[in-house]
Amino acid sequence: MADQQNSPAGPDLSQGVALSEFSGDMLLGHVGDDEVLLVRSGSEIFAIDAHCSHYHGPLADGLVDGESIHCPWHHACFDLRTGEAARAPAFNQLAVWKVERDGDRIVVRQKREQPKPRIGGAVDAPSRIVIVGGGAAGFAAAEMLRRQEYRGSIVMLSSERAPPVDRPNLSKDYLAGSAPEDWLPLRPNDFYAGADIDLRLGTEVASIDAKTRNVLLAGGQSIPYDRLLLATGAEPVRLPIPGADQAHVHVLRTLDDCRAIIASADGARRAIVIGASFIGLEVAASLRAREIEVHVVGLEQRPMERVLGAEMGDFVHALHEEHGVIFHLSDTVTSIDGKRATLKSGGVLEADVVVVGVGVRPRLSLAERCGLAIDRGVKVDAYLETSAPGIYAAGDIARWSDPHSGEAIRVEHWVVAERQGQAAARNMLGQREVFDAVPFFWSQHYDVPINYVGHAEKWDEIEVDGNIGTRDCVVRYKSGGRVLAVASIYRDLASLQAELAMERAAA
Ligand SMILES: Cc1cc2nc3c(=O)[nH]c(=O)nc-3n(C[C@H](O)[C@H](O)[C@H](O)COP(=O)(O)OP(=O)(O)OC[C@H]3O[C@@H](n4cnc5c(N)ncnc54)[C@H](O)[C@@H]3O)c2cc1C
Ligand code: FES
């Protein structure tokens, strides 16, 4: 029985499969212990590793579009010909396999020599690129610059102490105690020196001089640039209430923040989470996994209603209650005195640890002081360039003209930040790539993933296909009959199809 469970899926491709057995787009099989996916694209058949290099998502459940395959879990995209991780959140290339024909059989026996990723062809390679920010966008940009065979200097400045980490994990598995810390780095520590990326941690940028093209560090040093990427992200809003500065009251943005919460949670019996949106509720779920009693205090009547609508909000509320979370909605904390938190409604809650998750503010001060055009974020053009030539912006700070919604939007999504970092990198090399990716985010609550594509700040209709309560649904947010965004639970293919349809409609 155990052997059966461990045996790789599908037919043994090294023995070959008859063409007649491969009627659809994809066929999952194996070569030795490796699971390999046969993929039909037009008249060609490709063979590629069957699992995504991000979190091991099953590509057989994904979507094939031309010569690329999209992962069902967080929408990474791989080039079928080269295995390249063409779009974040995956960065590592997949192995591609040699497809042979033996009469009417398809046989796969060996990996192809790892092909080179496609190079966009730099037209204007500057000699010095500086990246301010060691998060999603900054990392993705640095990695893409080297993937594009950029050979000039890259200096990456980050005020964090840790090299770039998988930030979404900080409110999920790592906080829950189910992921070891060595899962967090986006790349091993020696990657940066190996790729000749001068990563300077614990380094605060004080200002930028756009005229002389210099970045000034808080320590006084000046670093010249030809192209600059600003990717300073966002910072958690802190509550202006008495007692919010105590050691057991936390916000969550960095690995250090997360370690501090874990230290406070160690031996804690009860926690208060202030804020009932994505981060707050993910934190609540993770603290429940540590068997801590969790009280969530939120101003809203329904968690997540503003982003996901009333019915999804009720579902998320009920899901957390099923897991023992106690809600105090339409309420807030007015002061924290030691372990006693006073609610606006008058009650008092006692807790050993408090996590404040009431939203973030984009870190705009460098951009503002440097004189960049600002509109509730750093304004960027279709190529992610700011109002100052040579300075680009990406991630949580950037407001760009989204071709799908037709609006200038700014979002706080991991995958968007990474994809903007990648596009900005190519544009800093002169490749003139319009940033037109449809926004995507995911959120995880216990065993329930919620995927969301598009962008809907308001809607006049919500259409539910399937059943939210049984965790099998596609929820469409519409305005004037047009689909602006799609949320889904366990309907990954529909989510990928919605993303593709939005991309095509905007093209
Ligand atoms: C706990 C948590 C969980 C999340 N989960 C999800 C999720 O499930 N799905 C999702 O879509 N999104 C999620 N997000 C949001 C996502 O992480 C952000 O949208 C993303 O990190 C934004 O990337 P960024 O590069 O713009 O900013 P960041 O990743 O925040 O990076 C900004 C960097 O800039 C540096 N910096 C700022 N100012 C300076 C300065 N003056 N000098 C030097 N360095 C500076 C910072 O130190 C940091 O390294 C989560 C966020 C958090 C905090
Ligand atoms: S597992 Fe494939 S994108 Fe996350």
Side-chain angles (χ1 to χ4, degrees), residues 52 54-57 71 73-76 89:
C52 175
H54 179 230
Y55 286 0
H56 215 63
C71 176
W73 285 0
H74 316 110
H75 295 201

PDB file of all heavy atoms in Angstrom, residues 52 54-57 71 73-76 89, ligand 2:
ATOM      1  N   CYS A  52       5.321  22.857 -10.047  1.00  0.00           N
ATOM      2  CA  CYS A  52       5.776  24.244 -10.062  1.00  0.00           C
ATOM      3  C   CYS A  52       6.947  24.428  -9.105  1.00  0.00           C
ATOM      4  O   CYS A  52       6.983  23.827  -8.026  1.00  0.00           O
ATOM      5  CB  CYS A  52       4.586  25.112  -9.644  1.00  0.00           C
ATOM      6  SG  CYS A  52       4.960  26.846  -9.456  1.00  0.00           S
ATOM      7  N   HIS A  54       7.562  27.034  -7.423  1.00  0.00           N
ATOM      8  CA  HIS A  54       7.228  27.934  -6.316  1.00  0.00           C
ATOM      9  C   HIS A  54       6.891  27.087  -5.094  1.00  0.00           C
ATOM     10  O   HIS A  54       7.757  26.843  -4.262  1.00  0.00           O
ATOM     11  CB  HIS A  54       6.080  28.875  -6.735  1.00  0.00           C
ATOM     12  CG  HIS A  54       5.637  29.822  -5.670  1.00  0.00           C
ATOM     13  ND1 HIS A  54       4.318  29.969  -5.321  1.00  0.00           N
ATOM     14  CD2 HIS A  54       6.334  30.659  -4.881  1.00  0.00           C
ATOM     15  CE1 HIS A  54       4.221  30.875  -4.355  1.00  0.00           C
ATOM     16  NE2 HIS A  54       5.439  31.311  -4.076  1.00  0.00           N
ATOM     17  N   TYR A  55       5.647  26.595  -4.992  1.00  0.00           N
ATOM     18  CA  TYR A  55       5.286  25.735  -3.846  1.00  0.00           C
ATOM     19  C   TYR A  55       4.884  24.344  -4.306  1.00  0.00           C
ATOM     20  O   TYR A  55       4.082  23.700  -3.669  1.00  0.00           O
ATOM     21  CB  TYR A  55       4.100  26.325  -3.085  1.00  0.00           C
ATOM     22  CG  TYR A  55       4.329  27.549  -2.217  1.00  0.00           C
ATOM     23  CD1 TYR A  55       5.565  28.155  -2.083  1.00  0.00           C
ATOM     24  CD2 TYR A  55       3.267  28.089  -1.497  1.00  0.00           C
ATOM     25  CE1 TYR A  55       5.726  29.278  -1.301  1.00  0.00           C
ATOM     26  CE2 TYR A  55       3.418  29.208  -0.702  1.00  0.00           C
ATOM     27  CZ  TYR A  55       4.652  29.799  -0.616  1.00  0.00           C
ATOM     28  OH  TYR A  55       4.796  30.911   0.175  1.00  0.00           O
ATOM     29  N   HIS A  56       5.382  23.923  -5.471  1.00  0.00           N
ATOM     30  CA  HIS A  56       5.146  22.543  -5.912  1.00  0.00           C
ATOM     31  C   HIS A  56       3.717  22.312  -6.423  1.00  0.00           C
ATOM     32  O   HIS A  56       3.186  21.203  -6.369  1.00  0.00           O
ATOM     33  CB  HIS A  56       5.431  21.587  -4.737  1.00  0.00           C
ATOM     34  CG  HIS A  56       6.031  20.290  -5.174  1.00  0.00           C
ATOM     35  ND1 HIS A  56       7.246  20.204  -5.777  1.00  0.00           N
ATOM     36  CD2 HIS A  56       5.563  19.016  -5.104  1.00  0.00           C
ATOM     37  CE1 HIS A  56       7.505  18.946  -6.051  1.00  0.00           C
ATOM     38  NE2 HIS A  56       6.501  18.206  -5.666  1.00  0.00           N
ATOM     39  N   GLY A  57       3.055  23.368  -6.890  1.00  0.00           N
ATOM     40  CA  GLY A  57       1.686  23.217  -7.415  1.00  0.00           C
ATOM     41  C   GLY A  57       1.666  22.236  -8.590  1.00  0.00           C
ATOM     42  O   GLY A  57       2.629  22.131  -9.353  1.00  0.00           O
ATOM     43  N   CYS A  71       0.555  27.894 -13.561  1.00  0.00           N
ATOM     44  CA  CYS A  71       0.341  27.084 -12.356  1.00  0.00           C
ATOM     45  C   CYS A  71      -1.013  27.411 -11.727  1.00  0.00           C
ATOM     46  O   CYS A  71      -1.368  28.579 -11.577  1.00  0.00           O
ATOM     47  CB  CYS A  71       1.469  27.346 -11.356  1.00  0.00           C
ATOM     48  SG  CYS A  71       1.218  26.486  -9.793  1.00  0.00           S
ATOM     49  N   TRP A  73      -1.996  27.253  -8.659  1.00  0.00           N
ATOM     50  CA  TRP A  73      -2.081  27.757  -7.285  1.00  0.00           C
ATOM     51  C   TRP A  73      -1.885  29.268  -7.189  1.00  0.00           C
ATOM     52  O   TRP A  73      -2.687  29.961  -6.610  1.00  0.00           O
ATOM     53  CB  TRP A  73      -1.084  27.013  -6.387  1.00  0.00           C
ATOM     54  CG  TRP A  73      -1.527  25.617  -6.058  1.00  0.00           C
ATOM     55  CD1 TRP A  73      -2.687  25.012  -6.483  1.00  0.00           C
ATOM     56  CD2 TRP A  73      -0.842  24.664  -5.257  1.00  0.00           C
ATOM     57  NE1 TRP A  73      -2.742  23.735  -5.992  1.00  0.00           N
ATOM     58  CE2 TRP A  73      -1.647  23.486  -5.234  1.00  0.00           C
ATOM     59  CE3 TRP A  73       0.372  24.662  -4.571  1.00  0.00           C
ATOM     60  CZ2 TRP A  73      -1.259  22.342  -4.526  1.00  0.00           C
ATOM     61  CZ3 TRP A  73       0.750  23.521  -3.869  1.00  0.00           C
ATOM     62  CH2 TRP A  73      -0.061  22.379  -3.849  1.00  0.00           C
ATOM     63  N   HIS A  74      -0.768  29.773  -7.707  1.00  0.00           N
ATOM     64  CA  HIS A  74      -0.524  31.225  -7.583  1.00  0.00           C
ATOM     65  C   HIS A  74      -0.113  31.835  -8.914  1.00  0.00           C
ATOM     66  O   HIS A  74       0.587  32.847  -8.958  1.00  0.00           O
ATOM     67  CB  HIS A  74       0.551  31.505  -6.515  1.00  0.00           C
ATOM     68  CG  HIS A  74       0.375  30.704  -5.270  1.00  0.00           C
ATOM     69  ND1 HIS A  74       1.230  29.691  -4.917  1.00  0.00           N
ATOM     70  CD2 HIS A  74      -0.586  30.755  -4.324  1.00  0.00           C
ATOM     71  CE1 HIS A  74       0.797  29.131  -3.798  1.00  0.00           C
ATOM     72  NE2 HIS A  74      -0.294  29.750  -3.420  1.00  0.00           N
ATOM     73  N   HIS A  75      -0.495  31.133 -10.011  1.00  0.00           N
ATOM     74  CA  HIS A  75      -0.444  31.701 -11.358  1.00  0.00           C
ATOM     75  C   HIS A  75       0.958  31.990 -11.898  1.00  0.00           C
ATOM     76  O   HIS A  75       1.114  32.857 -12.754  1.00  0.00           O
ATOM     77  CB  HIS A  75      -1.337  32.946 -11.447  1.00  0.00           C
ATOM     78  CG  HIS A  75      -2.791  32.646 -11.260  1.00  0.00           C
ATOM     79  ND1 HIS A  75      -3.787  33.482 -11.703  1.00  0.00           N
ATOM     80  CD2 HIS A  75      -3.436  31.598 -10.685  1.00  0.00           C
ATOM     81  CE1 HIS A  75      -4.969  32.966 -11.392  1.00  0.00           C
ATOM     82  NE2 HIS A  75      -4.783  31.825 -10.759  1.00  0.00           N
ATOM     83  N   ALA A  76       1.979  31.324 -11.384  1.00  0.00           N
ATOM     84  CA  ALA A  76       3.292  31.424 -12.047  1.00  0.00           C
ATOM     85  C   ALA A  76       3.150  30.865 -13.456  1.00  0.00           C
ATOM     86  O   ALA A  76       2.233  30.092 -13.739  1.00  0.00           O
ATOM     87  CB  ALA A  76       4.343  30.628 -11.286  1.00  0.00           C
ATOM     88  N   PRO A  89       5.000  34.071  -9.302  1.00  0.00           N
ATOM     89  CA  PRO A  89       5.946  34.020  -8.190  1.00  0.00           C
ATOM     90  C   PRO A  89       7.013  32.926  -8.250  1.00  0.00           C
ATOM     91  O   PRO A  89       7.782  32.806  -7.299  1.00  0.00           O
ATOM     92  CB  PRO A  89       5.033  33.788  -6.984  1.00  0.00           C
ATOM     93  CG  PRO A  89       3.914  32.965  -7.514  1.00  0.00           C
ATOM     94  CD  PRO A  89       3.674  33.499  -8.905  1.00  0.00           C
TER      95      PRO A  89
HETATM   96  S1  FES B   2       2.809  26.769  -6.438  1.00  0.00           S
HETATM   97 FE1  FES B   2       2.894  27.431  -8.471  1.00  0.00          FE
HETATM   98  S2  FES B   2       2.705  29.548  -8.336  1.00  0.00           S
HETATM   99 FE2  FES B   2       2.711  28.916  -6.286  1.00  0.00          FE
END
